[in-house]
Amino acid sequence: EIVLTQSPATLSLSPGERATLSCGASQSVSSSYLAWYQQKPGLAPRLLIYDASSRATGIPDRFSGSGSGTDFTLTISRLEPEDFAVYYCQQYGSSGTFGQGTRLEIK
Amino acid sequence: QVQLVQSGAEVKKPGASVKVSCKASGYTFTSYGISWVRQAPGQGLEWMGWISAYNGYTNYAQKLQGRVTMTTDTSTSTAYMELRSLRSDDTAVYYCARDGLGVFGFYWGQGTLVTVSS
């Protein structure tokens, strides 16, 4: 089973700053089948990025994904107040394991 | 528009079983698969498994093999997840999610809280 490790566990930043979230895999993720989700309290997760770098429909272009193999990154170029949430990566090349999440909080 | 509407909250005793439903609308049910994901209170997301609504093929998380069964009813466009031998650590919000573009979690249901308590 592929294990995903996200870092940092918590990221404290201010609106307008750039956020960089990492997701490392214990083995190579086939065909870059890696997604990123955003989750706010009490709500279901929302798909942001799929296939490592493709934005889902309606996702602002300040969100971008990159990476391949075992190292992936979600970047939010300029944080808006509504971006403060928990972010999860998920690989779907071999079953569907999630990372443990990164909490993005307002500094 | 695509909608996944899940059944209501459940309270179960340890050792019992629970069956959660996920009724789909707004698309051709048999053209996509359904995943189930759970989230214990204050914890992260856990992928439980996936079922093809086309042919019923399933892929379960190793941890839950033998305790979970996922099924679909194509006549009502509904997916089901049954979890048996419930324990207190099965207390969680259970989500169904539909595929899209190969991704498991393209559309999500609203979640169903299952509480396991004596």
Side-chain angles (χ1 to χ4, degrees), chain B residues 14-72:
Chain B
S17 298
V18 68
K19 192 169 187 177
V20 179
S21 68
C22 170
K23 183 169 178 57
S25 61
Y27 70 96
T28 301
F29 183 68
T30 52
S31 294
Y32 297 90
I34 296 285
S35 288
W36 290 88
V37 174
R38 69 179 179 177
Q39 186 169 36
Q43 302 301 309
L45 302 171
E46 179 184 11
W47 183 81
M48 300 177 67
W50 175 87
I51 182 167
S52 166
Y54 174 70
N55 60 12
Y57 170 82
T58 54
N59 179 12
Y60 299 140
Q62 200 169 356
K63 172 183 175 181
L64 296 171
Q65 287 272 5
R67 280 211 302 141
V68 68
T69 301
M70 296 175 188
T71 56
T72 59

Side-chain angles (χ1 to χ4, degrees), chain B:
Chain B
Q1 71 284 18
V2 174
Q3 280 196 305
L4 300 172
V5 179
Q6 298 184 223
S7 49
E10 303 260 14
V11 179
K12 296 291 183 182
K13 293 194 182 305
S17 298
V18 68
K19 192 169 187 177
V20 179
S21 68
C22 170
K23 183 169 178 57
S25 61
Y27 70 96
T28 301
F29 183 68
T30 52
S31 294
Y32 297 90
I34 296 285
S35 288
W36 290 88
V37 174
R38 69 179 179 177
Q39 186 169 36
Q43 302 301 309
L45 302 171
E46 179 184 11
W47 183 81
M48 300 177 67
W50 175 87
I51 182 167
S52 166
Y54 174 70
N55 60 12
Y57 170 82
T58 54
N59 179 12
Y60 299 140
Q62 200 169 356
K63 172 183 175 181
L64 296 171
Q65 287 272 5
R67 280 211 302 141
V68 68
T69 301
M70 296 175 188
T71 56
T72 59
D73 181 344
T74 57
S75 68
T76 59
S77 298
T78 302
Y80 297 92
M81 185 285 300
E82 181 180 32
L83 189 61
R84 299 176 293 278
S85 302
L86 289 168
R87 309 186 288 249
S88 57
D89 62 357
D90 291 318
T91 294
V93 175
Y94 288 75
Y95 293 101
C96 62
R98 200 212 80 176
D99 297 347
L101 298 173
V103 189
F104 285 137
F106 207 82
Y107 294 100
W108 292 74
Q110 84 277 19
T112 296
L113 176 62
V114 175
T115 303
V116 182
S117 174
S118 54

